[in-house]
Amino acid sequence: MRFPVPDADAYAAARTRLDALVKPVGALGRLEDLAAWLSAAHGVVPPRPLDDVRVVIFAGDHGVRNVSAYPREVTAAMVRVFLAGKSGVNVLARQVGARVRVLDIAVDDDLDGVPEAVRAHKIRRGSGAIDTADALAPGEAERAYAAGRAVADEEVDAGADLVIPGDMGIGNTTVAAALVAACLDLPAEEVVGTGTGIDPAGRAHKVDVVTAALTRSAGRIADPFSLLTTLGSACAAATAGFLVQAAARGVPVLLDGVFSGAAALVAHRIEPAAARWWLAGHRSAEPSHSLALDALGLTPVLDLGLRLGEGSGAVQAVPTLRAARAVLAEMGLLADLG
């Protein structure tokens, strides 16, 4: 697959203009880095406004048991909450004018009464328990990946200036930890966090689950689609496809938390060039997220101790990106002072 390359000339021009603004050189810190990055992505100085921001939540259940403070039935209920506009990401997205879309990729429920568009890309009902079985059947990872790419095309064709991958699924931090451990060759103890707020005994069980999953999958995870099949989920595969295709279309991606970070590690294995189009919106409180971001060479825009998921953390970074653009577009030049 061929990927557009961010415009190096626009990046250099942005840096030159930033240094010439009415301020000390470098005084706006990370805002200047983000402004130059956006200029390169858009190929123009100043960058275009980020008016059309879209969050896509990939929802699905995971077969691992007793690793969350909540039952898996919550996933199906939350799909309806998203549709009603009452979730955390709905509320936060409204503050920045972002659109929120939820998709049933692998919810373990028929979701009766939910609009057909939500279920249009469904791969299966739930994913396998990765400590005892493969997450997916042969070919399902590829189907989910293709679905994620198709969704990215839909959002870009509809006018997205910036896309954010969201997630919803009980057990998803366990799957994310397993994927990060496998990609970075780390033991479970280093990647497992408390997820939805489990107690020390619950975390110890979660470590055992991830350890068992890594042991069971040994020798079968060199290929990224085998990795997704063995240790991942349909949602992880769809998210990876979404990240890759947005990059292929030259649209910036603002990664959210631990689940999108894990999917990004796998997506980077599939298409390394896609990472040029990704920014890290925030740093999750889950330990595996920092490890994933470090491996990808991404510095989060925000670090607020969030662990909700849904795309909620990345949404909070949108005003910062808009501020970075405004600096280039609206600040005066030292030369104009005479």
Side-chain angles (χ1 to χ4, degrees), residues 26-144:
L28 287 175
R30 187 77 195 285
L31 284 182
E32 299 189 25
D33 298 336
L34 294 171
W37 189 94
L38 285 171
S39 294
H42 289 176
V44 64
V45 181
R48 297 186 299 275
L50 298 175
D51 292 333
D52 194 337
V53 178
R54 295 168 180 252
V55 182
V56 179
I57 302 166
F58 297 95
D61 287 300
H62 310 287
V64 288
R65 299 286 181 174
N66 303 316
V67 293
S68 173
Y70 299 91
R72 65 191 304 170
E73 289 79 10
V74 167
T75 305
M78 282 301 302
V79 170
R80 293 182 168 88
V81 174
F82 292 130
L83 293 172
K86 298 292 188 180
S87 75
V89 72
N90 289 127
V91 171
L92 296 172
R94 280 196 291 272
Q95 309 312 304
V96 301
R99 306 166 190 244
V100 177
R101 177 184 182 187
V102 60
L103 296 174
D104 171 11
I105 301 298
V107 178
D108 192 13
D109 191 283
D110 290 336
L111 292 178
D112 293 333
V114 168
E116 181 56 35
V118 175
R119 297 175 287 173
H121 297 285
K122 187 164 187 142
I123 303 299
R124 57 182 286 159
R125 279 188 54 150
S127 297
I130 59 172
D131 52 334
T132 59
D134 282 356
L136 303 173
E140 288 181 336
E142 288 82 356
R143 283 177 53 210

Side-chain angles (χ1 to χ4, degrees), residues 27-321:
L28 287 175
R30 187 77 195 285
L31 284 182
E32 299 189 25
D33 298 336
L34 294 171
W37 189 94
L38 285 171
S39 294
H42 289 176
V44 64
V45 181
R48 297 186 299 275
L50 298 175
D51 292 333
D52 194 337
V53 178
R54 295 168 180 252
V55 182
V56 179
I57 302 166
F58 297 95
D61 287 300
H62 310 287
V64 288
R65 299 286 181 174
N66 303 316
V67 293
S68 173
Y70 299 91
R72 65 191 304 170
E73 289 79 10
V74 167
T75 305
M78 282 301 302
V79 170
R80 293 182 168 88
V81 174
F82 292 130
L83 293 172
K86 298 292 188 180
S87 75
V89 72
N90 289 127
V91 171
L92 296 172
R94 280 196 291 272
Q95 309 312 304
V96 301
R99 306 166 190 244
V100 177
R101 177 184 182 187
V102 60
L103 296 174
D104 171 11
I105 301 298
V107 178
D108 192 13
D109 191 283
D110 290 336
L111 292 178
D112 293 333
V114 168
E116 181 56 35
V118 175
R119 297 175 287 173
H121 297 285
K122 187 164 187 142
I123 303 299
R124 57 182 286 159
R125 279 188 54 150
S127 297
I130 59 172
D131 52 334
T132 59
D134 282 356
L136 303 173
E140 288 181 336
E142 288 82 356
R143 283 177 53 210
Y145 181 82
R149 291 185 60 192
V151 170
D153 278 333
E154 291 168 7
E155 298 302 322
V156 174
D157 290 343
D161 297 312
L162 177 73
V163 295
I164 295 171
D167 63 278
M168 178 62 221
I170 299 303
N172 59 6
T173 61
T174 302
V175 168
L179 289 173
V180 171
C183 287
L184 303 182
D185 194 24
L186 295 171
E189 181 63 38
E190 291 188 24
V191 298
V192 170
T194 57
T196 52
I198 54 176
D199 60 18
R203 181 185 174 278
H205 170 68
K206 192 171 173 179
V207 169
D208 289 343
V209 166
V210 173
T211 299
L214 294 171
T215 300
R216 186 189 61 78
S217 63
R220 302 174 54 204
I221 54 177
D223 173 79
F225 288 101
S226 295
L227 171 61
L228 289 165
T229 297
T230 307
L231 288 179
S233 68
C235 294
T239 303
F242 183 78
L243 301 180
V244 166
Q245 190 62 19
R249 297 291 301 273
V251 172
V253 177
L254 197 54
L255 298 176
D256 188 46
V258 61
F259 196 79
S260 64
L265 274 182
V266 182
H268 183 261
R269 282 191 171 192
I270 298 170
E271 296 286 356
R276 299 188 187 111
W277 295 90
W278 304 340
L279 287 173
H282 80 118
R283 185 190 306 278
S284 166
E286 285 289 297
S288 60
H289 190 221
S290 289
L291 294 165
L293 294 183
D294 289 346
L296 291 166
L298 297 176
T299 302
V301 176
L302 302 175
D303 190 345
L304 301 175
L306 304 180
R307 53 183 176 86
L308 176 60
E310 305 177 3
S312 58
V315 163
Q316 294 305 287
V318 172
T320 302
L321 296 185

